[in-house]
Amino acid sequence: MGFEHFPKLAAERGGYAAAYARWKADPLGFWMERALLGVDWFERPRTAFDPEAGPYGRWFPDGICNTCHNALDRHVAAGRGERVALIHDSPVTGTLRRLTYAGLLREVKAFAATLAGFGIGKGDRVVIYMPMVPETAIAMLACARLGAIHSVVFGGFAARELAHRIDDVRPKLIVTASCGIEPSRTVAYKPLADRALELARHPPGAMIVLQRPQLAAELRPGRDHDWHALQDAALAAGADVPCTPLAATDPLYVLYTSGTTGRPKGVVRDNGGHMVAIAYALEAVYGVKPGETFFAASDLGWVVGHSFIVYGPLVQGGTGILYEGKPVGTPDAGAFWRLIAEHGAVSAFTAPSAVRAIRREDPDGLLPGRYDLSRFRALFVSGEHADAATVDWARRALGKPVLDQWWQTEIGWPIAANPLGLGILDVPVGQPGVAMPGHRLDVLGPDGTVLPPGRTGTIALRLPLAPGALPTLWNADSRFRDTYLAEFPGYYSTSDAGRLDASGIVSVLGRTDDVINVSGHRLSTGEMEDVVAAHPAVAECAVVGAHDELKGAVPVGFVVPKLGIAETEAAIREALVAAIREAIGPVAAFRRVVFVARLPKTRSGKVLRGTLRQILDGTPFEVPATIEDPAVLPEIAAALATGMPQP
Ligand code: COA
Ligand code: AMP
């Protein structure tokens, strides 16, 4: 059975300009059409948007649906049960597993029955702290089936980060695994989950643990349960759990992301708008037609993993690829090209950092030539600035378009892109592209005035946000308003600085807050400062992101040591590196500490982090007019030049 009921490719009807104009002329009609064509509703929405609900309105408020039904059941019911839904390709364990729609549905029903047995139902939260295994997707989809809200936490985060998320989202249950596998080591997840439950003020009463053959975890009787034992029993019982009918506005998941302060923000994603948006994005931006295979080289702990490894491909009836490996070293820098060729991916997504890592190992771009990439249409990059050298290398090596897009966890799908599905545009390298239908961008000055093309300011999205974007933060409407809506009335502030050119192509210049992107992983320098400042030898500190050839940015700590302390600088540095690893996780890649006698500050006492960053990167800068004492700047430069050798 085919995909006749799916919407036709927008490109067939006039390309990007026509699609954007159609959306702009009738945004509600545009999205209602997509909603009725792309989603199988239990009760079709009659209202596209309710401007009175939530902090800025809600999409499809009277629609009734279930995301798991759209991801699995409807495809099986349509006779597509034997198609491959998910491929787990794991060079780190030497395994390859293909799950069909029917097979995945069986597993998801069984796990949903298990969750229901723990008393989990609509609106309950489940934290998933797992490596890149199919069971992670099974747990996500089982929650979706029941109307429970999942919150996946990236495995590279440490116990304290996990505990913060547990305390905010208050799960009834946590699902974890005995271990994750990094090329250099086996990461024991279970002890991190145990430690998080000790640290949390609101620990859940139960934990389900996937025992992996590489490392067995100890289970605490009464609290911890073995995944395989539960799943085998549920499968044997032939559990058949129906999909819970949900309002389109009910939350599907909460995904935490870093902000300015130490407290991560719980981005809420609803069911209805999310399905409409990701199915549209997969087709319009990534050029993936229903039933095709898409490879997103990300982790399920990030938004890309949610939108384009699991939900996007499955809602669209295609195939998602779950890759448990790295861009290089598992076994070589041709890994992505092998995956694309072997699994027939028509497009792929990765972070520029991964492409830089591949390029470093394969500078002449020889490895793509070993694989049949004839069906492959384009490589998409996002998550951080894509530099021209990296994009040009990939274009030459692949002989395919390499297309940038700009988006954020909060929005859930690309805001600006060069859309393959709508027709590729002539976009200069290093600029993501044009606003996608659904998003209206303005560049605003500090007083909220709309700046003309070419002028730099804060990029803001006109309200209402598109379907799929966050309706609010978890249990924090007022934090949502304060963080995103208060600065520019009528807009959502992206906290990205940038500009538009006369033809509407956006340039993204960097964050206006304390967020940095390390290898495409979003982290808060403010949070790192809290950890560094807590060390007894530290009088004062600032953590800023320095340019890094591979990772795009890495955090650097400027530390003013307390007077009269006995510890050496080397010992303090070692302790700080260990503290960040322990508190935030290895993914922070915090290794560099610069000891200084004082920090540059404004007369009102604010640390001039931007200036520190410019000195670090060696970029020309003007001495800020507000600086308390300009003599501090040469001191910083001297400390950088003469400081202890750093890795
Ligand atoms: N679980 C546990 N630990 C993890 C982890 C996970 N899921 N992911 C990463 N880590 C650890 C790594 O083992 C490493 O630890 P180490 O300091 O002990 O070596 C640390 O976190 C940093 O890892 P990573 O960011 O992978 O850096 P790297 O130097 O090993 O590799 C790149 C560099 C560029 C190859 C890699 O960062 C990469 O593939 N980046 C692209 C990421 C991406 O696709 N992001 C998309 C987000 S949308
Ligand atoms: P995340 O929420 O992890 O997806 O990170 C979002 C942030 O990453 C954005 O606010 C930008 O600062 C940055 N970002 C994402 N995509 C791009 C891009 N294509 N170019 C420049 N910066 C980007």
Side-chain angles (χ1 to χ4, degrees):
M1 212 165 193
F3 294 89
E4 299 77 17
H5 65 291
F6 277 82
K8 287 265 179 291
L9 248 195
E12 291 167 18
R13 290 189 280 144
Y16 166 76
Y20 196 78
R22 212 166 35 246
W23 164 74
K24 213 168 142 190
D26 179 15
L28 303 190
F30 178 94
W31 286 120
M32 191 57 127
E33 184 188 308
R34 302 295 311 186
L36 297 183
L37 287 166
V39 173
D40 192 15
W41 299 89
F42 296 151
E43 280 176 39
R44 289 178 151 214
R46 290 176 308 278
T47 315
F49 187 73
D50 175 3
E52 302 305 324
Y56 68 85
R58 300 299 305 262
W59 286 97
F60 313 116
D62 49 12
I64 305 290
C65 59
N66 182 288
T67 298
C68 183
H69 166 79
N70 276 274
L72 298 175
D73 300 60
R74 70 157 158 169
H75 302 305
V76 175
R80 298 192 287 267
E82 293 318 306
R83 277 177 187 254
V84 176
L86 207 54
I87 298 170
H88 179 228
D89 187 310
S90 171
V92 293
T93 57
T95 59
L96 176 69
R97 200 171 148 200
R98 289 190 173 86
L99 289 100
T100 62
Y101 273 94
L104 186 55
L105 178 57
R106 237 179 346 262
E107 295 280 345
V108 167
K109 279 184 179 172
F111 198 63
T114 294
L115 290 179
F118 279 91
I120 287 168
K122 182 177 162 186
D124 291 327
R125 277 83 59 205
V126 173
V127 162
I128 301 174
Y129 182 62
M130 296 275 276
M132 287 289 281
V133 290
E135 288 78 2
T136 312
I138 291 168
M140 291 164 75
L141 289 158
C143 289
R145 192 168 191 86
L146 296 172
I149 301 163
H150 61 69
S151 190
V152 183
V153 179
F154 174 58
F157 281 127
R160 198 190 71 146
E161 288 291 318
L162 179 57
H164 282 163
R165 286 153 175 78
I166 288 171
D167 281 336
D168 197 68
V169 84
R170 309 254 184 121
K172 261 195 179 167
L173 182 121
I174 172 167
V175 185
T176 190
S178 57
C179 66
I181 294 139
E182 287 292 290
S184 55
R185 67 205 153 97
T186 299
V187 183
Y189 276 43
K190 172 67 167 45
L192 293 170
D194 285 339
R195 177 78 188 122
L197 295 202
E198 277 165 32
L199 293 172
R201 280 174 290 116
H202 305 281
M207 172 143 61
I208 297 180
V209 184
L210 176 77
Q211 296 279 19
R212 302 189 76 190
Q214 294 77 12
L215 182 75
E218 242 177 68
L219 302 187
R220 184 195 292 183
R223 186 196 68 180
D224 301 345
H225 306 267
D226 180 88
W227 170 293
H228 292 295
L230 294 169
Q231 189 71 350
D232 289 350
L235 284 167
D240 190 5
V241 178
C243 289
T244 304
L246 302 169
T249 50
D250 282 334
L252 170 68
Y253 69 77
V254 176
L255 179 60
Y256 284 85
T257 191
S258 302
T260 298
T261 67
R263 236 164 15 110
K265 298 179 288 196
V267 168
V268 174
R269 194 82 62 213
D270 67 14
N271 276 277
H274 174 244
M275 281 192 277
V276 174
I278 52 174
Y280 179 68
L282 208 48
E283 197 182 354
V285 180
Y286 300 107
V288 180
K289 295 183 198 121
E292 292 185 329
T293 302
F294 186 63
F295 171 38
S298 180
D299 192 282
L300 290 173
W302 305 113
V303 66
V304 179
H306 285 63
S307 296
F308 297 119
I309 296 176
V310 177
Y311 289 116
L314 295 184
V315 166
Q316 218 205 20
T319 305
I321 299 177
L322 199 62
Y323 174 54
E324 192 179 21
K326 296 276 170 178
V328 295
T330 55
D332 60 28
F336 283 3
W337 324 134
R338 172 190 69 77
L339 278 146
I340 290 165
E342 226 169 271
H343 304 309
V346 295
S347 318
F349 172 104
T350 191
S353 287
V355 182
R356 284 192 289 269
I358 294 169
R359 178 184 172 209
R360 199 165 65 171
E361 308 241 325
D362 181 21
D364 299 324
L366 300 176
L367 292 172
R370 289 195 193 159
Y371 302 96
D372 175 7
L373 301 179
S374 54
R375 278 188 294 170
F376 182 57
R377 299 182 194 131
L379 179 68
F380 291 87
V381 288
S382 184
E384 54 181 322
H385 174 67
D387 57 284
T390 302
V391 172
D392 284 339
W393 174 86
R395 281 183 182 164
R396 275 198 308 277
L398 293 168
K400 306 278 178 183
V402 177
L403 306 170
D404 191 359
Q405 331 110 73
W406 167 63
W407 50 305
Q408 308 186 310
T409 303
E410 288 86 340
I411 306 302
W413 61 285
I415 305 167
N418 191 349
L420 179 64
L422 296 175
I424 296 182
L425 306 167
D426 190 12
V427 173
V429 179
Q431 289 170 241
V434 288
M436 289 297 96
H439 307 295
R440 176 91 183 256
L441 311 187
D442 279 322
V443 173
L444 305 180
D447 60 355
T449 48
V450 177
L451 299 177
R455 292 272 308 277
T456 299
T458 300
I459 316 175
L461 308 183
R462 261 198 226 175
L463 295 175
L465 294 175
L470 79 173
T472 189
L473 292 173
W474 177 250
N475 266 345
D477 282 353
S478 60
R479 189 178 179 203
F480 172 76
R481 286 194 189 91
D482 293 348
T483 310
Y484 299 104
L485 309 186
E487 193 179 358
F488 304 116
Y491 287 95
Y492 161 95
S493 170
T494 64
S495 293
D496 272 317
R499 55 177 172 260
L500 289 165
D501 74 10
S503 53
I505 297 176
V506 68
S507 299
V508 179
L509 303 173
R511 299 282 304 193
T512 57
D513 58 9
D514 296 332
V515 164
I516 57 171
N517 274 287
V518 180
S519 293
H521 304 142
R522 179 164 156 184
L523 299 161
S524 160
T525 52
E527 201 174 349
M528 294 186 215
E529 273 177 21
D530 290 348
V531 177
V532 172
H535 188 276
V538 173
E540 229 185 333
C541 70
V543 177
V544 298
H547 174 74
D548 183 81
E549 280 300 315
L550 177 69
K551 297 185 177 217
V554 286
V556 175
F558 286 87
V559 166
V560 181
K562 280 187 185 151
L563 292 174
I565 44 151
E567 282 167 277
T568 63
E569 288 186 352
I572 299 172
R573 178 189 158 271
E574 205 176 302
L576 295 178
V577 169
I580 297 268
R581 254 183 112 81
E582 168 74 19
I584 295 173
V587 73
F590 179 87
R591 296 207 170 84
R592 197 163 166 209
V593 178
V594 181
F595 292 92
V596 291
R598 56 189 177 139
L599 294 168
K601 288 187 185 166
T602 62
R603 280 186 284 275
S604 58
K606 203 165 170 262
V607 176
L608 289 159
R609 291 184 176 77
T611 311
L612 281 173
R613 195 164 48 237
Q614 287 167 318
I615 299 175
L616 262 175
D617 289 348
T619 47
F621 65 92
E622 283 179 17
V623 176
T626 52
I627 195 165
E628 188 186 30
D629 180 3
V632 67
L633 299 181
E635 289 172 25
I636 301 283
L640 278 168
T642 58
M644 53 191 280
Q646 304 272 344

